[in-house]
Amino acid sequence: MSNETILAKLFSEFPQTSSRTKRSGPLAPGVAFITGGARGLGNAIAVSFARDGARGVVIVDINQDTLNEGKKIVESYGTKCLAIQADVTKEEDIERAVAEAAKEFGRIDYAANFAGILGPMDQTSELPLEGFQKVMAVNCTGVYLSTKHELRQMMKQDSIEVEEGRVEQRGSIVNCASINSGMALPGTLPYTTAKHAVLGITRTAALEARSQGIRVNAVSPGFFLTDLLKPVVGTVVPMAFYDACETRQGRAAKFEEVGDVVVLLSGPRMSLVNGANLPIDGGFTINEA
């Protein structure tokens, strides 16, 4: 058999695409579940899912007043939003939140774990143990618990509707890492340690869940002037230093740029992307300048 015949046979058995129709309809028609979803980057993700056609959005946060405001923003796009007060460091709270979301919408198709705190900024030799433990509880244990119970729910459900010929997808999880997941800055031990740990959670879960038709990835936002940073920029962190970081990033970033990336990464078109950590930093981490 000639090489040309072999190639022709392979392409007939494994075509480049099985669908001959143009794509139409919403980009993310399923149900999204976002921890830390009441404000900041988390709420931007919730809004992006609403704008891209999600039939339901669940936002989970610890503060009820913030939840109420975040829910209003999501619902202004005509999407049903369920707001759940929960502490991501408490397993019973996360288990309850996932159960409430599944009871309301029947399933969770896309999860984004973005609850987080900055924590104390101090030298390692001077850092109080309780400060370290608090950051690890929210930014590391919270991601672990959220991933754990999101996986349990996704494993129980059928695949979301996918294009003909595309592999089934029972769910997608995107965890919030950071450029600090691969870099460090003096005075950021708890935050940097936790973000390195998020990659460990993501990659391990990705390998375990792929046989179930579930993908687990992470994103690493660069410099965004979030509510976490506002209290320290200009005080603990000199304004000149922050401006220099934005310059290395190329420009100031918009929250919606993270939201849109998470939506794209969550959809079935990204079916072979698993265990990845995608920088959202304008090139900060590759810039030697």
Side-chain angles (χ1 to χ4, degrees), residues 156-280:
K156 295 188 293 186
Q157 59 197 34
D158 295 330
S159 172
I160 192 173
E161 184 178 348
V162 297
E163 293 178 355
E164 181 184 354
R166 184 76 73 169
V167 298
E168 291 188 342
Q169 179 169 300
R170 296 164 79 181
S172 166
I173 298 172
V174 178
N175 290 324
C176 182
S178 162
I179 56 171
N180 282 61
S181 66
M183 305 177 73
L185 185 68
T188 65
L189 176 70
Y191 186 82
T192 298
T193 302
K195 293 305 182 181
H196 275 65
V198 166
L199 292 191
I201 294 167
T202 299
R203 289 166 176 165
T204 304
L207 292 176
E208 294 170 348
R210 63 183 180 180
S211 63
Q212 304 282 334
I214 302 167
R215 297 181 300 110
V216 187
N217 292 289
V219 294
S220 283
F223 284 82
F224 292 77
L225 197 55
T226 64
D227 289 341
L228 297 185
L229 279 182
K230 285 178 182 177
V232 300
V233 172
T235 54
V236 179
V237 177
M239 197 68 203
F241 176 81
Y242 185 85
D243 288 343
C245 290
E246 274 198 348
T247 299
R248 178 173 167 177
Q249 182 170 265
R251 60 174 171 82
K254 297 180 179 180
F255 289 12
E256 67 193 53
E257 293 180 292
V258 172
D260 290 347
V261 168
V262 171
V263 171
L264 291 169
L265 189 55
S266 299
R269 296 183 196 177
M270 304 290 278
S271 52
L272 200 58
V273 180
N274 191 36
N277 179 25
L278 180 61
I280 313 175

Side-chain angles (χ1 to χ4, degrees), residues 35 88-89 94 113 115 136-147:
T35 69
V88 297
T89 69
I94 287 298
N113 297 318
M136 293 298 290
V138 178
N139 294 7
C140 177
T141 302
V143 171
Y144 147 65
L145 291 173
S146 299
T147 301

Side-chain angles (χ1 to χ4, degrees), residues 16-39:
Q16 295 294 326
T17 178
S18 301
S19 177
R20 300 300 178 190
T21 60
K22 288 186 177 180
R23 293 182 172 120
S24 61
L27 185 61
V31 176
F33 180 94
I34 301 107
T35 69
R39 63 178 183 169

